[in-house]
């Protein structure tokens, strides 16, 4: 059980912490603007990918290599997921970034709710807690948006 809790927490942190750090660290060396990431399809696609991988790993025993491959796929998807928020000039407004993240938080938690419903309460809660940085990012993006709007107001 402890292993499952750590695994689910690690999956949540991979999405909510590691992926945005990769995007931010690669800003000077990676041409993120060349990666197509329109907000709505990116959000829907990543929520489906995240859910599918989480449910699949819950239902099936896979080899360590297959599991590592699925985690790499999840990480790649998570990096693309963060592009509409973190990549300047992607066409997503401040309001769009805010809505994107506020929709993403509970949508991504649906996979963890599935775990709880299947009897893995500890693993599901661990994933939800590990995904809290998405909500914190939503609040931060919204705060910056409000601050910029107040500065523009005479």
């Amino acid at each position: 059980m402890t292993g499952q809790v750590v695994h689910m927490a690690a999956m949540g942190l991979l999405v909510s912490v590691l992926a945005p750090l990769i995007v931010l660290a690669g800003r000077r060396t990676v041409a993120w603007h060349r990666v197509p990431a329109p907000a709505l399809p990116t959000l829907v696609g990543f929520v489906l990918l995240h859910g599918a991988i989480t449910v699949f790993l819950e239902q099936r025993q896979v080899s360590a290599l297959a599991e590592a491959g699925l985690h790499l796929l999840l990480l790649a998807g998570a990096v693309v997921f963060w592009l509409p928020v973190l990549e300047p000039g992607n066409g997503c407004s401040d309001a769009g970034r805010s809505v994107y993240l506020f929709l993403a938080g509970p949508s991504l938690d649906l996979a963890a709710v599935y775990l709880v419903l299947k009897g893995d309460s500890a693993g599901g809660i661990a994933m939800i807690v590990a995904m809290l940085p998405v909500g914190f990012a939503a609040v931060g993006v919204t705060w910056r948006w409000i601050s910029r709007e107040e500065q523009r107001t005479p």
Side-chain angles (χ1 to χ4, degrees), residues 48-126:
L48 292 174
L49 176 69
H50 178 262
I53 289 173
T54 302
V55 169
F56 181 80
L57 290 175
E58 173 70 15
Q59 293 180 346
R60 303 257 194 286
Q61 290 291 342
V62 296
S63 69
L65 184 60
E67 189 171 335
L70 288 171
H71 285 112
L72 285 174
L73 177 62
L74 182 65
L75 179 59
V79 165
V80 174
F81 160 77
W82 281 98
L83 291 178
V85 176
L86 299 175
E87 177 55 29
N90 65 8
C92 201
S93 66
D94 289 340
R97 288 181 187 92
S98 178
V99 169
Y100 180 89
L101 287 173
F102 275 113
L103 289 174
S107 298
L108 291 171
D109 284 345
L110 290 174
V113 170
Y114 169 81
L115 295 175
V116 171
L117 292 173
K118 291 298 281 184
D120 185 10
S121 298
I125 298 300

Side-chain angles (χ1 to χ4, degrees), residues 4-14 16 122-123 126-128 130-131:
Q4 183 69 357
V5 170
V6 170
H7 179 244
M8 290 299 128
M11 283 182 66
L13 291 171
L14 181 141
S16 67
M127 181 180 276
I128 289 170
M131 297 286 282

